[in-house]
Amino acid sequence: CSAISQVVISYNTQIEAIAGINREICADTVLLTATAPQFGYGYWQVVTGSGIIDDTTQAATQVSGLIQGVNVFKWTVINGTCSDSSNVVVFVKDPSDCNDELEMPTGFTPNDDGKNDVFFIKGLNDYPDNVLVIYNRWGNKVYEKSGYTNDWKGVNDSGELLPEGTYFVIFKVRSINKILTNYVDIRR
């Protein structure tokens, strides 16, 4: 004679949702960067404000259509019957508070010595939707780049080195409808 009995052992591990750090930005788009769960899955939700989330199931996802002021997003992680949530606040600044943050140089030395080799616009990271246009002293456009990322090394659109001299710069920020103009001296 024999007897059989089953025992069910449930072991739940503590899970933690980490939505990322709160941010203050000047654009109407942001990249949310939560910590992806080791087990289970996670998803994003808009709590307050607005935003169109590209992929609600990805820990790192782009959000567009943010409103000025406070936008709160919730990252929820679920593993079986366990769940945890965390919020991240994205504060979109008033455009007038952002204009002073951009600062263009009036000169740089693209000679590959590791110092001052690129045309570096201070505060550029808050304005990914931009266009940089460079004109020579005769008014001919010599360089243009949409989505400029502080990487111009004094070359024309064909990648050829521009001669030393003074050039006219137009920097357009589409997200706040702002145009900055200046000159820049290239010295090698």
Side-chain angles (χ1 to χ4, degrees):
C1 180
S2 67
I4 297 175
S5 177
Q6 290 184 346
V7 175
V8 176
I9 299 173
S10 295
Y11 176 73
N12 293 326
T13 59
Q14 183 70 19
I15 61 171
E16 183 178 12
I18 302 172
I21 59 170
N22 296 336
R23 299 193 47 203
E24 286 190 12
I25 62 171
C26 291
D28 65 350
T29 61
V30 70
L31 179 66
L32 296 177
T33 54
T35 301
Q38 281 187 312
F39 305 102
Y41 63 94
Y43 64 91
W44 285 105
Q45 290 176 289
V46 178
V47 177
T48 60
S50 72
I52 300 166
I53 303 170
D54 281 357
D55 188 344
T56 59
T57 63
Q58 292 296 314
T61 188
Q62 190 78 21
V63 178
S64 58
L66 298 171
I67 61 167
Q68 187 177 321
V70 176
N71 299 273
V72 179
F73 299 92
K74 180 190 285 187
W75 175 243
T76 301
V77 175
I78 297 175
N79 184 15
T81 59
C82 299
S83 69
D84 189 36
S85 296
S86 176
N87 290 344
V88 64
V89 177
V90 178
F91 184 83
V92 179
K93 297 179 186 179
D94 183 282
S96 63
D97 293 336
C98 297
N99 296 342
D100 294 336
E101 292 181 12
L102 285 171
E103 187 178 318
M104 293 193 299
T106 56
F108 72 115
T109 58
N111 57 9
D112 290 327
D113 68 352
K115 299 174 189 159
N116 203 23
D117 285 331
V118 296
F119 183 74
F120 185 84
I121 300 174
K122 182 180 173 186
L124 180 66
N125 291 338
D126 288 332
Y127 303 98
D129 188 16
N130 66 61
V131 177
L132 177 71
V133 184
I134 308 295
Y135 293 89
N136 64 16
R137 63 182 168 187
W138 297 283
N140 300 322
K141 181 171 64 171
V142 295
Y143 182 82
E144 181 174 357
K145 183 173 182 186
S146 292
Y148 180 66
T149 57
N150 285 332
D151 56 355
W152 182 53
K153 290 188 166 191
V155 297
N156 63 17
D157 282 330
S158 300
E160 301 163 339
L161 293 178
L162 292 170
E164 285 189 353
T166 302
Y167 294 83
F168 186 68
V169 180
I170 298 177
F171 183 69
K172 301 174 187 176
V173 182
R174 295 178 228 184
S175 60
I176 59 172
N177 200 24
K178 181 73 176 170
I179 297 175
L180 303 173
T181 59
N182 205 354
Y183 69 91
V184 63
D185 283 326
I186 296 178
R187 301 287 174 233
R188 297 197 192 275

